[in-house]
Amino acid sequence: MKPIYDSWDLDYKSIFGAVKQNEKVRFTIRLPKNTNPEYPPVVVLFRTGFKERFISMNEIEEEDDCIAYSAWYDAKYSDVHYYYFSYKADGRRYYIKKVNCHEGSLDNGDLFQLTVYKKSYDTPDFLKGGVMYQIFPDRFCKSGKVHENIPDGRVLRDDWNGTPYYKPDSNGHVWNNDYFGGDFAGIQSKLPYLKDLGVTCIYLNPIFESHENHRYNTANYMKADPLLGTNEEFAQLCEEAHKLGIAVILDGVFSHTGADSIYFNKFGRYGNSGAFQSKDSEYYDWYSFINYPNEYEAWWGIDTLPNVIENNEKYTNYICGDGGVLKYWLSLGADGYRLDVADELPDEFLNNLRKSVKNFGSDKIVIGEVWEDASNKESYGIKRRYLLGDQLDSVMNYPFREAIIHYIKGGKPQDLINSVMTITENYPKPTVDVLMNFVSTHDIERAINRLGGEHCDDKTKDWMAERYLTAEQYSHGKNMLKSAMALMFFLPGVPSIYYGDEAGLQGYKDPFNRRCYPWGNEDNELIAYVSELGRIRKEIPNMKDGRIYFAKGINENLHEDDVIVFTRSGADKDCLVFVNRSDKRIVIENLSGHFAKFAEFESIHGEFKDDTVTVEPYGYTLVSARYVDKH
């Protein structure tokens, strides 16, 4: 018997996933013939804060064992909508709600989600189909160039492969004041390497002058940190990157500044102009003082990171105005921003930020740091509107990361499928095409450690500091990382490589995940593998914006759980992707029988011969297929 409802099936919902404002979408349910509803079923649909709408469904056809009912909805309002179905029979009211992420059930369930985004919403093309590379600037490459006007209080290290400082002082504070000297010139010198790796976009962790090596405690938004180089050297880096077809995105930290900054100036480094020195400071209104000057609101209570009032008119104008921070760095060549802790930035500020960036150029991108499903995220009691068309273009895709790692470590395939499909269903298609996908970042342990090493959540910093994988752990972690990378490269969105992952760089949590790139000690075999992924991805048009469909049950007797199979659709041909997470060579016979809707199969990568797909241990195979009815 057919399901009552399935939101992933076009026979039940005429448009998969989010819909554009003013699009019409048809909902269809199928009830057993003996149901005999007293009156036509209804779609019950509403937005948060608004009354429910009851849309009557019409009987459209009688099928073998059921009767189908349909209703059309004209999506007029950009917002996140929720819906369910209801009918009355035998004197009782029945509700059809969501179970198993997408199926309709008469049992207790959740509401279905329908995201409606603005019809004008689009995202920049330059990132679609590309490859991102995240760089922690102090730790990627040191040019050896002498930089001038280095602020006091920094420990300049000459042991490039050394362990970052992590021990607190006598007051329990970790100052993060050791610098290895990575700089703009160093990054520029490695642009050919990044080009060969397939990189089309560099994402730089903060570059503004700051007095800790992570640079999330901004001291001056309008000045590059002197250890990295000058503003002019940043502009030169962008110019040279653009010549190679590589964009550059900056990390924007706008929820707080550093206490040691020209704005707050708690330690007097910048004379007497800061909010800490005087209530007459031009920056005083940026901050919330509780008991002036020593008690103030700070990011997560860390007194070196005073919070700003983002919607303060002076602050908003300083960041978003015509002569402000955003447009200044865009004018030097930046192609957009990744926003630190986007869920701590209020809606009004995000609206103003997007307007500023897009007014400079519609091809500039805004990506937010959001760890959950960003389409229905709530923060500080507010339902967020990140992906409706007037705030973010994209987000960091932590849900994919967790799903990939969980699956590669032995999780159920259905869990991966549910995680991927839920995000692609809830997010607007323009967002999906530029999602920032990754398996490692500066905020989490490196994937090779997570996959091949010991669990570290309950371990101390001392345990993590000098903890390296054994040869056996490294080999196993590397193999699993290959499988994870294949998924990251071929799932919807844009793969983001955290610098050094491709070279076998290890590291548990901050700051050990921020070690220096191992120039001269790279794992060249792993680099070649990642380069191959980049090359193949570039050659397949489907990877730019093709929708995803998962296949199940095609090799029941051959370790089905160990190979995940999905298609990326294309205008002419679809691309079938097979990824093997196991140490076994997996053979899938009778491909045309499993995929009867396709014809003219052709190998793209890996072994495909005589209607049989072979997937090597921890490997991947790609096959193109043309629909039977396509010409």
Side-chain angles (χ1 to χ4, degrees), residues 356-407:
S356 177
V357 171
K358 297 298 182 179
N359 283 342
F360 187 93
S362 60
D363 59 334
K364 306 304 179 185
I365 200 162
V366 182
I367 301 173
E369 179 193 12
V370 181
W371 289 55
E372 306 84 6
D373 182 332
S375 70
N376 50 41
K377 164 86 175 184
E378 291 189 21
S379 60
Y380 303 95
I382 301 296
K383 193 87 170 178
R384 305 312 303 260
R385 299 178 53 84
Y386 299 130
L387 305 179
L388 298 180
D390 47 19
Q391 291 186 353
L392 304 178
D393 291 311
S394 174
V395 289
M396 299 182 73
N397 199 358
Y398 276 96
F400 272 24
R401 187 260 183 179
E402 286 305 311
I404 290 171
I405 296 291
H406 178 72
Y407 173 71

Side-chain angles (χ1 to χ4, degrees), residues 340-482:
D340 184 55
V341 293
D343 58 352
E344 298 184 24
L345 300 173
D347 282 334
E348 183 180 350
F349 182 79
L350 284 175
N351 293 344
N352 285 321
L353 186 149
R354 179 181 178 84
K355 288 176 185 176
S356 177
V357 171
K358 297 298 182 179
N359 283 342
F360 187 93
S362 60
D363 59 334
K364 306 304 179 185
I365 200 162
V366 182
I367 301 173
E369 179 193 12
V370 181
W371 289 55
E372 306 84 6
D373 182 332
S375 70
N376 50 41
K377 164 86 175 184
E378 291 189 21
S379 60
Y380 303 95
I382 301 296
K383 193 87 170 178
R384 305 312 303 260
R385 299 178 53 84
Y386 299 130
L387 305 179
L388 298 180
D390 47 19
Q391 291 186 353
L392 304 178
D393 291 311
S394 174
V395 289
M396 299 182 73
N397 199 358
Y398 276 96
F400 272 24
R401 187 260 183 179
E402 286 305 311
I404 290 171
I405 296 291
H406 178 72
Y407 173 71
I408 295 298
K409 286 176 69 80
K412 297 177 181 178
Q414 192 61 49
D415 291 340
L416 172 67
I417 293 170
N418 287 348
S419 294
V420 170
M421 292 298 289
T422 295
I423 291 299
T424 55
E425 180 178 24
N426 288 351
Y427 287 11
K429 182 64 165 53
T431 298
V432 172
D433 293 339
V434 291
L435 278 175
M436 181 179 168
N437 296 340
F438 51 84
V439 290
S440 305
T441 73
H442 63 292
D443 282 327
I444 49 181
E445 68 270 36
R446 287 187 177 269
I448 198 168
N449 291 77
R450 174 83 179 269
L451 294 167
E454 300 167 71
H455 185 73
C456 72
D457 285 348
D458 58 347
K459 302 298 192 299
T460 65
K461 295 277 190 180
D462 286 332
W463 182 91
M464 296 182 204
E466 303 298 338
R467 183 73 51 167
Y468 294 91
L469 303 177
T470 66
E472 182 179 357
Q473 287 176 326
Y474 180 84
S475 177
H476 185 54
K478 174 181 169 179
N479 284 331
M480 297 174 79
L481 178 60
K482 286 182 176 181

Side-chain angles (χ1 to χ4, degrees), residues 578-619:
F578 304 78
V579 178
N580 182 1
R581 71 177 179 187
S582 76
D583 60 358
K584 305 175 184 69
R585 191 169 185 259
I586 294 179
V587 177
I588 302 170
E589 299 177 338
N590 189 27
L591 187 67
S592 59
H594 293 304
F595 292 93
K597 64 182 179 180
F598 291 123
E600 300 180 37
F601 295 95
E602 184 179 352
S603 176
I604 298 176
H605 174 82
E607 186 176 339
F608 172 65
K609 186 178 180 181
D610 298 330
D611 207 27
T612 298
V613 170
T614 301
V615 196
E616 296 297 328
Y618 303 108

Side-chain angles (χ1 to χ4, degrees), residues 34 102 165 236 246 278 294-295 325 354 422 486 518 527 615:
N34 60 1
H102 62 109
Y165 290 173
Q236 184 180 14
I246 300 174
S278 171
N294 291 307
E295 291 184 45
V325 172
R354 179 181 178 84
T422 295
I527 289 174
V615 196

